[in-house]
Amino acid sequence: MRRLKLQMQVSIDAMVAAQTQIGPGHFNWDEEVRQYSIANATNVDCILLGRKTAAGFIPHWKSVAANPRDADFEFGKVITGIPKVVFSRTLRKSEWPNATVANGEIADSVNQLKKQTGKDLLVYGGRSFVASLIEHNLVDEYHLLVNPVVLGSGLAIFAGLADTLRLNLVTNKKFSCGTVLLCYELLRD
């Protein structure tokens, strides 16, 4: 079965900045973080996005992928080429190339994708979409890039959980820019 991996930028105070929906330029990415993100994305063949995130994410990365002088060009090329599924209650067809729209119940739709043959699935945040995935116990791996910043406001991705999540730390890494990767896998009973 395919695994759903979440890669998300968070602040030290575990809040998610609204800007993180667009991309790494809003935090202090260095070449190490870029290379980690590229490697993480090359092991998937589908990216899941919420509608609100998709509206900024897809055009942003298409623009980055079209500009070889952009520092994130290589990452942009990789993720622009990966098919996307955009979850929405309002859209009926995709506004974007290389993207389809899923309108069904989130748990059913994601579990159907997990059962398909292929590489793993990757989700990039939008807080409410990610929180819904977490609430339904759909995320198998958490790749949290903790940035050396305290925002003091924002929306926590783990707010409102009804049950405790048990996680196992798989790896951690400090990048030279001060960002720390914490990679956890969900422990299922």
Side-chain angles (χ1 to χ4, degrees), residues 53-126:
T53 299
F57 183 96
I58 295 172
H60 172 78
W61 289 110
K62 182 179 178 187
S63 171
V64 168
N67 181 2
R69 286 179 254 136
D70 193 297
D72 295 316
F73 172 74
E74 187 180 357
F75 179 65
K77 290 291 282 185
V78 169
I79 64 170
T80 299
I82 298 171
K84 291 152 195 75
V85 176
V86 177
F87 287 77
S88 176
R89 290 187 182 107
T90 57
L91 289 179
R92 295 296 169 230
K93 65 178 191 157
S94 176
E95 304 173 2
W96 310 280
N98 203 20
T100 57
V101 174
N103 298 117
E105 289 298 318
I106 194 167
D108 294 338
S109 297
V110 171
N111 283 323
Q112 270 186 313
L113 289 168
K114 284 181 164 188
K115 290 176 184 173
Q116 294 175 359
T117 304
K119 295 180 180 180
D120 287 336
L121 309 165
L122 184 61
V123 61
Y124 293 107

Side-chain angles (χ1 to χ4, degrees), residues 8-17 127 144-147 149-159 182:
M8 193 162 203
Q9 302 263 356
V10 297
S11 61
I12 288 173
D13 54 350
M15 304 301 248
V16 178
R127 203 269 341 153
L144 303 176
L145 293 160
V146 183
N147 291 270
V149 64
V150 175
L151 299 173
S153 65
L155 302 170
I157 61 173
F158 296 105
L182 299 174

Side-chain angles (χ1 to χ4, degrees), residues 159-179:
L161 282 179
D163 296 315
T164 301
L165 287 181
R166 292 184 26 243
L167 305 173
N168 179 48
L169 182 64
V170 176
T171 190
N172 62 64
K173 178 176 173 68
K174 179 186 180 290
F175 297 103
S176 57
C177 63
T179 296

